[in-house]
Amino acid sequence: PRAFEYGIALLNYDEAARHSMAQIKYNNKREYLDFYGTALAARYGRPIRRMQADALVPVPVHATRKKTRGFNQAEILARVIGKKLGIPVIPEMLVRNKKTLPQKDLSAAERLKNLSGAFAAGEIPEGIRSVILVDDIYTTGVTMDEAAKVLWMAGAEEVHFLVLCTGKPDC
C-alpha cells in the first residue's frame, strides 16, 4: 500500500521524454517547464480540481543539488500549475534533509534505501488537509511514497501527486 491516494502524469517516460527531462535538469531549459505545466493544467485541470487540494507541494531537491543546478524543477512546475489553477504552492512544507544519489540508475530496492529518511516536514499549516505533491518523473513510486509518508505524519489527511512523466501505465 502507498501513502498517497493516486496521481496524474502528463507523458509516458519514453525516449523523447527522457531527452526533454535531461534538457531541463542538465541544460537549464527551464522554459520547458512553462510549457509542460501549462499543458498539464489544460489537459488535467478538471481532475486536479477534483482532488480538492489545499496546496501544491513540490518534491524538494537537496540544497547542494539546487545550488549546482540553480533551481528545483518540481518547484517551477508547481508554480506554473498553481498559477494556472489557482492552487497555492507551499515549497517549505517538505524539505530534503539528506543528500541522496540520483535515482535514475538505481533499482527499486536501492531507491527505497537511498530515500529512506531523505524528507522531513514541519507542521502542516492550519487549513491544509489535502496536498498534491509535484515532481518531474515517477518510475517506481518510492519518491512519492516517502514524501507522502512524511506529509501524512505531519498531519496531511490526503496526498495526491502530479508528474510530467511516468514509466508506470497505472499511475
Side-chain angles (χ1 to χ4, degrees):
R2 299 288 193 175
F4 53 81
E5 299 292 323
Y6 64 90
I8 295 172
L10 181 64
L11 305 168
N12 288 322
Y13 193 49
D14 59 14
E15 197 52 43
R18 262 186 205 79
H19 178 74
S20 187
M21 294 301 103
Q23 290 297 309
I24 292 167
K25 289 180 174 182
Y26 309 117
N27 292 317
N28 201 22
K29 297 291 187 179
R30 298 181 209 192
E31 65 272 17
Y32 290 14
L33 295 166
D34 290 332
F35 171 80
Y36 287 132
T38 299
L40 220 159
R43 172 69 179 92
Y44 294 109
R46 186 170 287 145
I48 292 168
R49 284 188 183 97
R50 278 196 301 263
M51 292 175 181
Q52 298 181 351
D54 300 308
L56 299 175
V57 179
V59 172
V61 294
H62 191 269
T64 57
R65 187 162 294 145
K66 187 172 182 177
K67 186 176 181 179
T68 302
R69 190 176 290 159
F71 63 97
N72 173 1
Q73 68 280 0
E75 184 174 341
I76 294 172
L77 181 63
R79 291 198 185 284
V80 172
I81 296 165
K83 185 176 181 181
K84 297 287 182 191
L85 299 178
I87 303 170
V89 178
I90 308 177
E92 310 82 31
M93 197 180 301
L94 189 64
V95 295
R96 192 158 207 146
N97 58 8
K98 175 181 161 187
K99 189 174 180 183
T100 56
L101 297 170
Q103 297 280 91
K104 64 181 181 172
D105 296 323
L106 302 179
S107 70
E110 291 168 330
R111 287 172 188 235
L112 185 59
K113 183 178 179 184
N114 189 41
L115 284 174
S116 180
F119 300 111
E123 204 172 304
I124 302 293
E126 191 173 322
I128 305 291
R129 294 183 328 89
S130 176
V131 299
I132 300 175
L133 285 165
V134 179
D135 205 3
D136 55 353
I137 303 167
Y138 178 107
T139 48
T140 63
V142 170
T143 300
M144 289 300 170
D145 201 43
E146 289 298 310
K149 283 177 192 174
V150 167
L151 291 172
W152 277 101
M153 291 187 325
E157 295 175 20
E158 244 180 57
V159 180
H160 296 87
F161 70 84
L162 298 174
V163 292
L164 291 182
C165 307
T166 184
K168 295 275 209 187
D170 60 345
C171 114

